Amino acid sequence: MATSIISVQDKNIFIVENHHEVLLAWARYRRKLDKSAILITLDHHTDAYPGFTRHAYRTLKEKNIFSGDERENLKTKLISEILFDNDESVQNSIDNLSHDEHIDAAIRSKIVKAAFIINYDHPGDYPESIEVRRYRELNSPLNRMYLEDKPKYPERPFHYPVSEDHMYFIDPECHSSCRKDCHDDKCTRPHYDEALETVFLAKKLQIIFEMACTSGEFQSLIDENYILDIDLDYFHTEKSIIPYCPCMFYELIRKAGIITIAKESECVDELKLEGENVCSELLLEKCLEHIRNAMGK
């Protein structure tokens, strides 16, 4: 595993190829704190697989063991062996992790308290807010038979229950100018183009604050030690990495304890929109340029 470390105005940026390799940087940051960190991640995917799922399956398959209970026991044992104050234990864990499994591993090993995931992959908020759940119940075909008027969709602020796995997914919705009830291919490019725009991120952060405060995960981001994590497959167009107004992104950069960046070169190539001249190296260069600008260097 090769990790590059860059420092900008005393802000450490850790760069890896495969996303799960950021776990070592997260563990080293955790050692400096008196409590687990908060994670805010920008990613196309949710990366919500349980830690060591694939490794446990492969290991037990070799022994002709196919018991689900045995797999869960092995996964729990491997989680217990992650010691955030010991590089060797974390590195051994990384060797047995696969892509998308690092957030669960970090939460269950107390490296991270909760993860808030700004993504394009998950339809709707998770967990669902109390208000939206109530609206859906009232708007069911059975209930509507007894209502004179169709219930109105609730307005924010929303209240969220605590997530059992301490992962929170922010609804991708659509771009800020979209007024359609049903979205189509014409929405895709402008949606992706807004990836770092303040008009886009401000709404996502408002949802994060509502999720965090009402669930009890934290009350103010200002008082929290948070990791800003960026998977470069979050960017699908050239315009997405060159925002018109990056103020909110720069604020996230400045207040982050550390920044981790996963290049994920293959995913970048697979997910970029047709005709777009983007690659992980270009995106990394632009991302670091934003960090330098945000930090005044």
Side-chain angles (χ1 to χ4, degrees), residues 3 49 73 189 227 270:
T3 303
Y49 281 22
N73 290 338
R189 187 175 295 276
I227 299 164
E270 290 172 4

Side-chain angles (χ1 to χ4, degrees), residues 249-251 253-254 289-297:
F249 183 50
Y250 284 12
E251 189 75 359
I253 290 169
R254 283 191 289 268
E289 184 179 319
H290 283 306
I291 295 170
R292 294 187 186 101
N293 289 339
M295 299 301 296
K297 185 174 181 179

Side-chain angles (χ1 to χ4, degrees), residues 204-214 218-221:
K204 305 307 174 192
L205 286 172
Q206 178 58 41
I207 297 172
I208 287 175
F209 293 147
E210 290 176 12
M211 287 178 161
C213 293
T214 59
F218 67 76
Q219 296 300 313
S220 171
L221 197 57

Side-chain angles (χ1 to χ4, degrees), residues 37-56:
I38 295 294
L39 176 68
I40 298 177
T41 181
L42 307 177
D43 196 337
H44 177 85
H45 308 97
T46 58
D47 285 8
Y49 281 22
F52 304 109
T53 295
R54 299 171 181 86
H55 176 75

Side-chain angles (χ1 to χ4, degrees), residues 202-267:
K203 189 170 184 180
K204 305 307 174 192
L205 286 172
Q206 178 58 41
I207 297 172
I208 287 175
F209 293 147
E210 290 176 12
M211 287 178 161
C213 293
T214 59
S215 70
E217 294 287 8
F218 67 76
Q219 296 300 313
S220 171
L221 197 57
I222 295 173
D223 300 326
E224 294 294 331
N225 298 293
Y226 72 87
I227 299 164
L228 177 59
D229 175 62
I230 304 168
D231 186 328
L232 294 182
D233 72 13
Y234 176 71
F235 304 102
H236 304 79
T237 67
E238 289 181 81
K239 192 173 181 180
S240 67
I241 196 67
I242 311 173
Y244 174 74
C245 179
C247 299
M248 188 62 68
F249 183 50
Y250 284 12
E251 189 75 359
L252 276 175
I253 290 169
R254 283 191 289 268
K255 292 182 178 179
I258 61 168
I259 299 170
T260 54
I261 301 174
K263 292 168 65 176
E264 289 289 354
S265 303
E266 290 185 8
C267 284

